[in-house]
Amino acid sequence: MITLDAIASLCKRRGFVYPTSDIYGGLMSSYDYGPMGAELLRNIRNIWWKTFVQDRADMVGLDSQILLHPQTWVASGHVGSFNDPLVEDTVTNKRYRADHVIEEWLKTHPDSGVVVEDLTIEQMGEYISKHAVESPDGNPLSAPKTFNLLFETKLGVVEGEKSTLYLRGETAQGIFTNFRNIVDSSRVQLPFGVGQIGKSFRNEITTGQFIFRTIELEQAEIEYFFDPETEDWQKIFDAWKEAMWSFITKTMGVDEANLRWRRHTDKERSHYSKDTFDLDYQFPFGWKELWGIAYRTDYDLTQQAKHSGADLRYMNPQTGKKFIPHVIEPAVGINRLFLMVLADSYVQEEKRIVLKLSPKLSPFKVAVFPLVANKPELTQKARALYDELKQSFAVAWDDRGNIGKRYLAQDEIGTPWCVTVDYATLEDGAVTVRDRDTTKQERIPVRELTAYFQKKLI
Ligand code: GAP
């Protein structure tokens, strides 16, 4: 199986992902997205937005702020209980999440009597002490402490008069606090959902999982509101589960053998949630949560109404009934989708590494080359073709090195088709199109090329 190191190495070499502040030695759990990564991220975002917001009559979009009124986070419970259990290596002082340390420990010390997700922080402490669980460096661990994940910042200019704000810990709360505005300013009627993509921030305690868990992350969240008296929540929940599965397998082209549903246990589930499932993906470091779906009842709207004093009830226009709607929330990280797509498409063949990305996601759909660089008649023709194809697709240009090297470079960034303009093109008006996955080549007339690629991209 492909390793995380191999993916990270390709990402750096080909401009997908770099460590943040690389020239300063990096910043903990932070990554920047290079020229290829920026394109891939954008394609993932756009496909999610099109599928779940633009293509559905029962969905609208939102773009709320990262900094919200601080009471938002008191109301949501994040200030009080958005916590992780922190343990420290007593020799190196490195910090770890207690549940992660126990999970790692169990891989070499199997114990069927423990479900890590169900342990309270006190129980984690007892387990660590009873079984002498050690840090990854083989040292004793401290007792676990709770650690709040919200990032604090200050608003204002005068020292001593600045007020505390929080960088949002999830995009969801911006949807709840805008619920009244959205209902009043658009034609939505229950059941309807609001989708949002944006940055969130979490002071995560993490080690060595590349972009899987970062302190700055991009979330794509949906809050789907409904009347629990007229709608069957289970049906809505199941329909969203199906939509999530179909998005990953059909729209993103990911192998379903690497996907599974995991239901949260009663102890693990948040107190306000009636049911929660994780859609897990088999990452190179094991099965991990990709996408969560939770039935959050009327908890968030009720909390925001209580703390703000605003009336967040919905009025049924037919019956006049006023009530706080219930909500089902499918929430995913764009960066996790990114890592999944890379892990799923990375293929090491005998003579090449190839990213067999779904063409819809590939940073470039087509690459155009002149057979050789220093022949103006070939370069001009190839450049004209590049300019023409650019009107319809994201197209790469390459005239460096030999054709074989150019193919290998495009394979590593997942470009599905390479087009070469050669001497025969000047005679017959056709070009060689080489397929990334099969490496087969065929001659296609230039005048048919746009339609040829358009058909393949449907
Ligand atoms: N509003 C619900 C919520 O935020 P969550 O399970 O904490 O729920 C939702 O986050 C999704 O966001 C996760 O399934 C995961 O894909 C992504 N995510 C959460 N924390 C992350 C982190 N530190 N780095 C990258 N992605 C993260």
Side-chain angles (χ1 to χ4, degrees):
M1 196 193 197
I2 172 70
T3 64
L4 194 59
D5 283 349
I7 296 173
S9 156
L10 175 83
C11 280
K12 177 119 198 243
R13 198 170 70 246
R14 289 293 172 203
F16 282 93
V17 182
Y18 314 125
T20 294
S21 304
D22 209 6
I23 60 169
Y24 289 101
L27 177 69
M28 200 193 81
S29 302
S30 298
Y31 294 89
D32 294 342
Y33 291 78
M36 292 307 109
E39 296 294 337
L40 178 53
L41 269 186
R42 192 167 290 271
N43 291 342
I44 294 172
R45 253 183 236 131
N46 289 349
I47 285 182
W48 184 94
W49 189 263
K50 178 160 169 31
T51 307
F52 294 116
V53 179
Q54 294 177 331
D55 286 356
R56 292 182 60 131
D58 59 347
M59 288 286 302
V60 291
L62 179 75
D63 199 333
S64 70
Q65 297 293 285
I66 286 168
L67 298 174
L68 305 178
H69 193 288
Q71 275 303 310
T72 310
W73 304 107
V74 177
S76 67
H78 283 75
V79 170
S81 58
F82 192 38
N83 297 327
D84 271 347
L86 167 81
V87 283
E88 254 181 50
D89 179 314
T90 53
V91 178
T92 63
N93 295 328
K94 284 191 204 159
R95 301 175 324 160
Y96 303 97
R97 255 176 67 172
D99 50 337
H100 291 174
V101 172
I102 298 174
E103 273 168 12
E104 276 307 305
W105 174 264
L106 288 171
K107 285 185 188 162
T108 47
H109 302 77
D111 176 357
S112 56
V114 65
V115 180
V116 181
E117 291 86 4
D118 288 352
L119 298 179
T120 62
I121 185 162
E122 291 75 23
Q123 289 166 332
M124 286 183 207
E126 282 161 21
Y127 194 88
I128 288 172
S129 132
K130 182 168 164 208
H131 298 271
V133 176
E134 289 169 339
S135 78
D137 293 327
N139 299 317
L141 291 163
S142 68
K145 289 184 271 193
T146 51
F147 178 80
N148 193 278
L149 296 183
L150 276 185
F151 269 102
E152 277 185 30
T153 186
K154 298 283 178 196
L155 178 70
V157 286
V158 182
E159 270 320 316
E161 291 177 18
K162 295 182 184 177
S163 56
T164 299
L165 294 184
Y166 303 98
L167 303 187
R168 67 181 170 198
E170 60 175 12
T171 57
Q173 296 305 323
I175 300 180
F176 297 123
T177 52
N178 275 299
F179 177 74
R180 172 90 276 129
N181 285 334
I182 294 168
V183 170
D184 288 348
S185 62
S186 62
R187 308 280 299 160
V188 290
Q189 281 191 54
L190 290 185
F192 73 90
V194 182
Q196 170 159 234
I197 298 181
K199 293 279 182 126
S200 296
F201 299 81
R202 297 180 179 185
N203 211 339
E204 298 270 11
I205 313 155
T206 83
T207 41
Q209 289 182 331
F210 192 38
I211 55 171
F212 178 76
R213 194 182 302 281
T214 47
I215 56 177
E216 179 173 337
L217 57 133
E218 192 168 9
Q219 290 188 304
E221 300 201 280
I222 292 164
E223 304 302 331
Y224 197 80
F225 300 100
F226 61 95
D227 178 351
E229 284 183 3
T230 58
E231 305 286 338
D232 175 353
W233 75 266
Q234 189 70 58
K235 269 198 186 143
I236 299 179
F237 197 84
D238 291 345
W240 274 107
K241 278 176 68 188
E242 245 180 80
M244 290 158 65
W245 187 274
S246 160
F247 181 76
I248 299 295
T249 55
K250 298 207 177 83
T251 313
M252 302 194 91
V254 162
D255 183 357
E256 61 179 23
N258 288 326
L259 288 175
R260 69 169 191 202
W261 285 109
R262 189 184 72 81
R263 189 183 203 159
H264 280 211
T265 63
D266 289 347
K267 284 189 188 157
E268 177 187 8
R269 215 172 45 235
S270 311
H271 62 281
Y272 50 79
S273 170
K274 274 213 177 146
D275 207 355
T276 302
F277 276 79
D278 287 345
L279 180 54
D280 286 351
Y281 178 77
Q282 192 172 20
F283 286 97
F285 42 90
W287 288 97
K288 296 278 171 193
E289 174 187 348
L290 172 75
W291 198 336
I293 174 165
Y295 175 16
R296 293 175 76 129
T297 64
D298 58 357
Y299 175 79
D300 298 274
L301 282 180
T302 304
Q303 284 294 104
Q304 296 298 348
K306 205 163 96 192
H307 284 254
S308 64
D311 183 359
L312 298 184
R313 288 175 302 164
Y314 172 87
M315 192 182 78
N316 182 317
Q318 279 84 41
T319 63
K321 179 177 102 168
K322 279 187 162 184
F323 61 100
I324 300 250
H326 280 214
V327 76
I328 283 172
E329 177 196 68
V332 70
I334 295 286
N335 316 85
R336 265 190 207 176
L337 290 174
F338 183 104
L339 182 58
M340 170 200 69
V341 155
L342 288 182
D344 215 72
S345 63
Y346 187 112
V347 179
Q348 169 83 62
E349 292 179 356
E350 203 186 326
K351 292 204 175 121
R352 61 173 190 158
I353 292 171
V354 51
L355 279 189
K356 295 193 173 176
L357 291 171
S358 156
K360 284 185 218 142
L361 295 175
S362 297
F364 295 115
K365 313 304 170 206
V366 183
V368 174
F369 319 139
L371 180 66
V372 282
N374 52 359
K375 296 284 175 212
E377 63 276 32
L378 292 185
T379 306
Q380 273 165 20
K381 184 91 189 156
R383 201 73 198 181
L385 181 57
Y386 167 77
D387 287 339
E388 187 189 322
L389 291 174
K390 235 173 17 151
Q391 313 286 323
S392 311
F393 317 103
V395 188
W397 169 263
D398 194 357
D399 59 3
R400 285 174 47 187
N402 64 41
I403 285 285
K405 286 208 175 116
R406 294 183 210 159
Y407 282 156
L408 292 184
Q410 295 300 326
D411 288 344
E412 288 198 344
I413 60 171
T415 308
W417 302 287
C418 293
V419 172
T420 304
V421 171
D422 53 24
Y423 291 106
T425 310
L426 306 178
E427 305 297 323
D428 64 4
V431 285
T432 303
V433 177
R434 183 258 197 186
D435 183 278
R436 174 194 69 195
D437 298 345
T438 62
T439 72
K440 289 220 170 78
Q441 302 186 5
E442 57 180 320
R443 293 291 286 180
I444 308 281
V446 168
R447 62 174 191 290
E448 291 172 18
L449 263 190
T450 300
Y452 173 86
F453 293 130
Q454 266 162 352
K455 208 165 139 204
K456 289 197 174 265
L457 281 163
I458 288 168

